[in-house]
Amino acid sequence: MVISAPADTPRRRAPSSGVVGIFLSRPMRVVGLIILVLYLFMAILGPVVFPPSVALVANPAKIYQGPTWADPLGTDFQGVSVLAEIVLGARGVLMVGVGAAFLIVIIGVGMGLMAGFTGGFVDAVLMRITDVFIAIPQFPLLLLVATILNASSPWLIILMLSLTSWGGLARAVRSLTLSLRERDFVEAARGLRLGTRLITTRVILPNMLSYVAMNFMVSITGAIYAEVGLLFLGITPFTPDNWGVMLHEADGVSGALYTSSSILYVLSPMIAILLLQAGIIFVLGALDEVFNPRLRTGATR
Amino acid sequence: MNTLRRFGVALIMIWMVVTLTFFMIRLMPGNPIFDAYQTLLQQGVPSQQALVQIHILYDVYPNQSVVVQYLLYMWHLLHGNFGTSVVYTGRPVLPIILAAAPWTLLLVSIGLTISFFIGLLLGVLIALHRNTWFDNLMSQLASIFHGIPNYITGFVFLYFFTVILNWFPFGNIYNPAIHPGFSYGFVASVAYHSVLPIAAYVFGAFGTWTLSTKSAAMAVLGDDFTMADRIRGLTSEQQLEHLVHNSVLPLFTGFVLSLGIMFGGAVFIEETFSIPGLGYLVATSTAQRDYPVMQGVFLVLAGAVIVANFLADTLYSRIDPRIRV
Amino acid sequence: MSEIALSVNNLVVEFPTDSGPLRAVDRVSFELERGTIMGLIGESGCGKSTVAFALLNSVPTPGQIVSGQVDYPGVGDLLKMSDEAQRLFRWQHVAVVFQASQNTLNPLRRIDEQIRELATAHRMRDPKALLERADSLCRRLRLDSRRVLHAYPHQLSGGMKQRVGIMLALLLQPDILVFDEPTTALDGLSQESVLQIIREIHDEEGLTGIFITHDLGIVSEVADTVAVMYAGRMVERASSHTIFSGPKHPYSQALMNALPRLSGDPHLARGLRGSPPKVIGDQFKCLFRDRCEYRMEVCDQSEPQLIQVAGEDAQVACFLHGKEVERVSV
Ligand SMILES: Nc1ncnc2c1ncn2[C@@H]1O[C@H](COP(=O)(O)OP(=O)(O)OP(=O)(O)O)[C@@H](O)[C@H]1O
Ligand SMILES: [Mg+2]
């Protein structure tokens, strides 16, 4: 075996190396993009295609049916079409995921910027608080808060999810701020006596925008994980059409675990979540390359 | 000196968690204690008696000021008094937690260790074979596994290996027919029951380790001393040793952070496999709104992560000569 | 005359890039006589370090030696030896004082541990003997051996690390030493003391080696012969005396313009505008023509080869010299 420096051997790629080229350079990235678009459609048009008042009605005659033309994914323990449940579930999952990611980014970036740019005592206090939030196992805390607040509205869930998971981002933004602070252009801005707020918002923030954008995507996956998890545990009150609820029922009341004819019902919500997460991860890889040209293959020194 | 400072920080963090919990449970709008008091009143219990009952149930004194309550709460915690369970009436919380903790510790630590070593191995291999089909395949796989929620992994394992294939037992951590103790039968039973949950932990975590090892190892491979080692004629084994040693150190912080994530994940894995550990305790006590137990488990988990953090930091300054003063 | 220690023949090294294989070293040939030091000069990126690595068949990936021989008389062509033989050859026969010496020590091992590792790697039964040699070398390099040997790299200053680098290079008593800009990363004072040490050792032992640098002043002092590289090609080779009294190649002349003493980047020297081209694939032109004040028609039509200058101890690759001019213009 030969141990040597990483070889950035160029791979064959399309000549265009703009954003489109980066996506096209790996087929999985295109797949990821298609998946995300598909989910977006499900979230927006789902209730039009499957009106909940019709699609979600129990039908004892059709319990755990295999796939048919009418119900391509079979039916659940109440005879409801699994496909309808999956499509209708997309809106709630995406909304909470995106909403929570949005708040996480706002809190995390805010705390990180403030700590990093102010320094001193404020920094020390903010970072200790951040450390506490990083150290606390997110899920048990979430459960505690969820039961106390008896959270039923999606907004409350968004709030809880973001309050329990901004720590890592705040830390990263702080160290980014610290390193940016030392750069020439920030020095220059300070020399011009621009105010702290102006420097942070006009000079530092734009420079970490790509990092923040990446983190937004990562936070979506994290929030979806936690949200579906909460529902899976049956802690937050149900909305009937959510993948987490399907999982919860698959694990509990439905008796799905005692029969293998329920396989489509059990697998569908999982695959729905996995595809969404995979789509985000693939697109994330592409964004990473768009934002960090250094990662582009074959870049010469 | 530094150790002392870190110890102080750890204590402060524990104090912050404890305080946060106190105010969360007792003072938030719609807090459970006030709710319970209202319920008692509605059931026609005279208010004096309701207060006594609340006191017994939640170990709080509703008619005292917040400051006194807080001080009493701290005092009790310092003496290991975490209150008594509401559901298992009268049973103190601490023994309940202590009975559950070993299972969680066992499964999480084995799962963490195995996933760490798998990730280390894969990460180093990927870095050594950068831009080959192996790198492409394994990096993609690692990031996909990194993104799979652990409850799904657990659920899939449970469904396929117990329901469909019937290879592994369903639920619990040992066969209740066997008397617990250090007998061969008991240990074997625990091992048998542990396979699936440990596998679920490993599948949930190895992707993360692979990715972070990969990037650490790539950085080391780009370092000048890697090139110099080769030119100095060091053997492949020596070079590999340097590579691994230098790549492992930056992973240390992540290792500690992952403890919190693993303990959090225990909620799902233990719930899925019905393992009577801390995660299961959190899930069931939450479902039953058994606040003293919830609060106790929560404090113990958070405390454990903070202490682990402190130990790891202290240890780190011992294994990385650059940190040592 | 004297014995040849190393002969390099038509060496070609390429780095793959998006637009094709980048030729970092192109058909370079030279010989090194025992007891002499060859200065290797040229702008940043012209391939000096790559030549040095190629001498040990250790070109950084993804680079590759495409063709050529690296022949060590008495040992043979290194490129044809087995992997294990090459490994043992490195450092025992040729050692390097690295360009970025600061970071060439494993940060997690004490210096003496790294010396022990060298002993193990080179199959020495008694690492103690090596440590003792390290100890005496340290004293010669004016290092506090007891402190330095027990230190981790981060506990040493830049100048100390560079001297440790020299110590490690001398440790196995190699036949040939390669100094790759041994002073570039140091401050003025440390530069001077490191140079002083190299001078001393050379005076006492008569080193055989290659000295890569940007600093022509040092070359004129230390080197017996000088080779000038441009864009991967060797454009001039002469005895130190000859080249400093009258460089033949316009590029060498441009480099020397700022003599007697030029520290830093020769890029800034008078008469040199622009930067060297990146060479991809075969070129049938002179690579320097765009920056050359003597540019002629031939320079666009044919590539000058390194040829002996009649009556002088010099070789040059330029149409201004030798018979090439006549032959092409016929
Ligand atoms: N790892 C690498 N990957 C791609 N190209 C490389 C690599 N290393 C060197 N090169 C290319 O090889 C050429 C020669 O580089 P080299 O390091 O030998 O130059 P140098 O003369 O030592 O320069 P300097 O004075 O800066 O040390 C450069 O043009 C560079 O682009
Ligand atoms: Mg160089």
Side-chain angles (χ1 to χ4, degrees):
Chain A
M1 180 187 44
V2 173
I3 296 182
S4 57
D8 280 314
T9 352
R11 241 171 280 123
R12 287 284 130 231
R13 67 153 63 218
S16 76
S17 48
V19 177
V20 178
I22 285 173
F23 269 94
L24 289 181
S25 70
R26 301 217 191 155
M28 289 319 263
R29 295 179 173 169
V30 181
V31 174
L33 205 62
I34 292 174
I35 292 176
L36 291 195
V37 171
L38 196 73
Y39 275 78
L40 219 56
F41 270 114
M42 277 163 56
I44 296 169
L45 298 178
V48 181
V49 183
F50 296 101
S53 52
V54 185
L56 295 181
V57 175
N59 182 352
K62 297 205 316 187
I63 291 174
Y64 286 145
Q65 270 185 355
T68 60
W69 280 113
D71 308 310
L73 295 178
T75 56
D76 73 356
F77 65 104
Q78 293 179 306
V80 175
S81 163
V82 172
L83 181 66
E85 290 180 302
I86 295 288
V87 171
L88 288 172
R91 180 178 287 188
V93 171
L94 277 185
M95 205 175 76
V96 172
V98 172
F102 202 71
L103 262 187
I104 289 173
V105 164
I106 290 180
I107 303 175
V109 171
M111 290 289 258
L113 272 182
M114 190 143 69
F117 208 80
T118 322
F121 182 71
V122 177
D123 180 27
V125 171
L126 287 184
M127 278 305 109
R128 282 295 89 72
I129 296 176
T130 307
D131 282 348
V132 169
F133 274 91
I134 291 178
I136 296 175
Q138 189 205 359
F139 231 82
L141 176 63
L142 211 50
L143 291 183
L144 204 60
V145 182
T147 42
I148 293 171
L149 292 180
N150 220 351
S152 50
S153 100
W155 301 112
L156 214 51
I157 298 184
I158 289 178
L159 192 69
M160 284 168 7
L161 288 179
S162 43
L163 281 180
T164 51
S165 41
W166 52 270
L169 180 60
R171 237 187 197 297
V173 167
R174 171 181 173 267
S175 45
L176 255 178
T177 311
L178 286 182
S179 72
L180 282 174
R181 252 176 70 163
E182 307 305 323
R183 301 263 189 88
D184 298 342
F185 54 87
V186 176
E187 288 290 317
R190 268 201 260 171
L192 293 173
R193 302 203 172 280
L194 300 180
T196 305
R197 229 189 62 205
L198 208 62
I199 294 180
T200 356
T201 53
R202 293 282 166 78
V203 185
I204 292 192
L205 200 53
N207 271 289
M208 50 173 74
L209 221 55
S210 64
Y211 182 79
V212 172
M214 300 281 298
N215 248 279
F216 177 72
M217 300 281 282
V218 175
S219 300
I220 294 181
T221 59
I224 290 177
Y225 160 73
E227 173 208 4
V228 175
L230 273 180
L231 291 160
F232 169 66
L233 289 178
I235 303 301
T236 43
F238 301 171
T239 44
D241 50 354
N242 188 295
W243 307 335
V245 176
M246 292 173 75
L247 279 178
H248 175 68
E249 290 179 339
D251 189 28
V253 294
S254 65
L257 279 189
Y258 304 101
T259 157
S260 50
S261 66
S262 59
I263 187 158
L264 273 176
Y265 170 58
V266 174
L267 285 184
S268 293
M270 296 188 186
I271 290 173
I273 297 166
L274 289 187
L275 278 181
L276 178 54
Q277 302 275 47
I280 294 179
I281 287 168
F282 289 140
V283 172
L284 204 61
L287 284 187
D288 204 11
E289 236 177 74
V290 173
F291 289 136
N292 301 321
R294 257 184 342 108
L295 292 179
R296 287 178 204 174
T297 45
T300 37
R301 295 196 305 172
Chain B
M1 186 57 226
N2 243 330
T3 313
L4 213 62
R5 204 183 70 91
R6 270 195 287 270
F7 186 68
V9 170
L11 281 187
I12 292 177
M13 280 173 66
I14 289 180
W15 168 76
M16 282 166 86
V17 171
V18 164
T19 307
L20 188 82
T21 318
F22 171 84
F23 285 103
M24 218 160 52
I25 292 195
R26 273 149 243 244
L27 299 178
M28 260 201 211
N31 77 72
I33 293 165
F34 186 73
D35 270 4
Y37 180 62
Q38 291 291 318
T39 316
L40 284 176
L41 288 187
Q42 274 165 20
Q43 289 166 354
V45 182
S47 68
Q48 206 55 38
Q49 205 182 324
L51 284 180
V52 173
Q53 278 202 22
I54 292 291
H55 165 63
I56 293 170
L57 276 182
Y58 293 98
D59 190 38
V60 298
Y61 305 82
N63 49 353
Q64 300 281 6
S65 75
V66 176
V67 181
V68 174
Q69 284 195 38
Y70 177 66
L71 290 177
L72 277 169
Y73 161 84
M74 293 295 280
W75 182 251
H76 287 160
L77 280 186
L78 279 178
H79 289 79
N81 179 356
F82 284 67
T84 51
S85 165
V86 173
V87 175
Y88 310 98
T89 349
R91 272 183 65 191
V93 169
L94 197 57
I96 298 182
I97 292 177
L98 290 182
W103 298 126
T104 307
L105 216 58
L106 179 79
L107 297 184
V108 164
S109 55
I110 295 179
L112 186 59
T113 312
I114 294 179
S115 59
F116 180 79
F117 280 106
I118 292 180
L120 190 66
L121 183 73
L122 287 180
V124 168
L125 282 179
I126 291 175
L128 285 176
H129 300 275
R130 176 114 171 88
N131 282 339
T132 60
W133 63 267
F134 180 77
D135 172 17
N136 283 336
L137 179 73
M138 294 315 291
S139 298
Q140 295 274 7
L141 271 185
S143 51
I144 290 173
F145 272 106
H146 167 68
I148 298 182
N150 50 7
Y151 41 87
I152 291 193
T153 323
F155 202 100
V156 169
F157 283 2
L158 185 76
Y159 190 67
F160 277 99
F161 292 110
T162 70
V163 176
I164 297 199
L165 294 175
N166 214 348
W167 285 359
F168 287 98
F170 189 97
N172 214 332
I173 185 70
Y174 57 87
N175 185 346
I178 300 174
H179 182 70
F182 275 104
S183 64
Y184 170 77
F186 180 69
V187 173
S189 172
V190 169
Y192 188 35
H193 283 77
S194 305
V195 172
L196 285 183
I198 287 177
Y201 280 122
V202 170
F203 269 81
F206 91 94
T208 319
W209 291 122
T210 305
L211 293 180
S212 26
T213 308
K214 173 190 163 187
S215 67
M218 300 257 302
V220 175
L221 284 176
D223 276 345
D224 288 328
F225 75 83
T226 305
M227 173 264 297
D229 274 357
R230 181 171 147 77
I231 289 181
R232 290 194 185 114
L234 294 195
T235 62
S236 298
E237 294 77 40
Q238 287 174 321
Q239 293 182 50
L240 191 64
E241 199 188 319
H242 287 195
L243 171 64
V244 171
H245 192 172
N246 278 279
S247 311
V248 161
L249 287 189
L251 301 180
F252 214 76
T253 336
F255 193 82
V256 177
L257 284 185
S258 76
L259 268 183
I261 295 166
M262 293 288 262
F263 278 133
V267 174
F268 296 117
I269 305 242
E270 292 181 3
E271 162 80 7
T272 306
F273 293 99
S274 313
I275 288 160
L278 290 177
Y280 188 68
L281 201 56
V282 171
T284 49
S285 61
T286 309
Q288 299 162 334
R289 302 293 189 267
D290 192 344
Y291 282 95
V293 175
M294 279 172 75
Q295 174 193 306
V297 182
F298 175 69
L299 288 180
V300 167
L301 283 183
V305 174
I306 293 173
V307 168
N309 226 315
F310 161 73
L311 289 179
D313 274 358
T314 311
L315 204 65
Y316 187 74
S317 64
R318 267 172 231 249
I319 57 174
D320 189 341
R322 286 162 295 189
I323 304 291
R324 218 178 298 170
V325 202
Chain C
M1 220 176 57
S2 68
E3 195 187 342
I4 301 291
L6 159 68
S7 105
V8 172
N9 200 358
N10 269 322
L11 186 68
V12 180
V13 180
E14 290 183 343
F15 287 94
T17 67
D18 264 358
S19 26
L22 174 96
R23 213 164 270 179
V25 174
D26 193 6
R27 286 162 289 163
V28 162
S29 308
F30 63 88
E31 284 174 348
L32 186 65
E33 278 175 22
R34 197 165 292 288
T36 67
I37 290 187
M38 177 178 101
L40 187 56
I41 59 175
E43 274 164 300
S44 197
C46 69
K48 306 183 296 291
S49 298
T50 308
V51 167
F53 289 134
L55 297 185
L56 287 164
N57 193 14
S58 294
V59 177
T61 31
Q64 263 191 324
I65 298 182
V66 180
S67 62
Q69 288 105 42
V70 181
D71 195 50
Y72 294 90
V75 182
D77 184 357
L78 178 73
L79 307 182
K80 296 207 174 73
M81 284 157 59
S82 73
D83 285 350
E84 182 65 2
Q86 288 193 28
R87 181 180 76 70
L88 290 169
F89 180 87
R90 299 187 183 115
W91 222 252
Q92 288 186 34
H93 291 264
V94 180
V96 182
V97 177
F98 294 101
Q99 180 167 6
S101 239
Q102 321 293 346
N103 309 318
T104 54
L105 298 164
N106 182 350
L108 304 181
R109 299 267 198 285
R110 295 174 197 276
I111 306 299
D112 53 359
E113 288 167 335
Q114 309 205 20
I115 292 172
R116 269 175 218 279
E117 282 181 329
L118 266 180
T120 316
H122 292 280
R123 301 180 179 168
M124 296 180 170
R125 252 171 252 108
D126 186 15
K128 279 234 185 66
L130 203 61
L131 281 168
E132 272 160 29
R133 180 166 158 76
D135 189 76
S136 69
L137 277 172
C138 275
R139 255 175 282 138
R140 224 170 123 190
L141 299 172
R142 284 176 230 109
L143 285 167
D144 175 358
S145 69
R146 230 182 285 158
R147 191 169 102 61
V148 167
L149 291 182
H150 286 77
Y152 285 99
H154 73 277
Q155 295 168 324
L156 305 174
S157 72
M160 284 161 92
K161 269 190 256 187
Q162 188 59 288
R163 276 180 277 169
V164 169
I166 296 175
M167 181 268 283
L168 288 176
L170 293 170
L171 203 56
L172 302 187
Q173 291 166 297
D175 300 332
I176 299 177
L177 268 179
V178 177
F179 295 90
D180 190 356
E181 304 187 33
T183 57
T184 317
L186 302 177
D187 62 85
L189 215 62
S190 324
Q191 277 191 6
E192 203 36 61
S193 84
V194 165
L195 278 179
Q196 184 59 36
I197 285 163
I198 295 175
R199 270 186 221 115
E200 272 175 34
I201 298 175
H202 186 40
D203 289 346
E204 287 164 32
E205 300 187 3
L207 293 175
T208 307
I210 296 179
F211 199 102
I212 300 174
T213 183
H214 287 272
D215 190 332
L216 297 180
I218 301 175
V219 177
S220 67
E221 242 182 280
V222 176
D224 304 291
T225 61
V226 175
V228 182
M229 279 185 77
Y230 183 77
R233 296 281 275 147
M234 199 165 268
V235 294
E236 182 161 0
R237 216 161 83 74
S239 73
S240 183
H241 174 75
T242 312
I243 201 166
F244 279 102
S245 54
K248 305 272 175 314
H249 197 283
Y251 178 65
S252 315
Q253 291 168 2
L255 282 181
M256 310 262 165
N257 250 341
L259 264 184
R261 181 86 184 200
L262 174 90
S263 320
D265 200 342
H267 220 94
L268 304 171
R270 199 154 40 87
L272 248 189
R273 294 269 145 70
S275 51
K278 296 259 179 251
V279 184
I280 297 194
D282 288 326
Q283 303 283 320
F284 300 103
K285 308 160 169 122
C286 170
L287 297 172
F288 187 61
R289 67 191 189 288
D290 286 335
R291 304 166 79 188
C292 182
E293 37 185 320
Y294 307 106
R295 183 170 175 171
M296 303 177 290
E297 233 172 89
V298 251
C299 308
D300 292 320
Q301 294 159 356
S302 165
E303 189 179 13
Q305 305 296 320
L306 198 63
I307 52 160
Q308 188 70 38
V309 178
E312 276 191 80
D313 185 13
Q315 297 171 319
V316 64
C318 178
F319 293 124
L320 290 174
H321 302 274
K323 298 162 293 208
E324 296 271 300
V325 183
E326 293 136 47
R327 202 185 66 207
V328 173
S329 56
V330 163

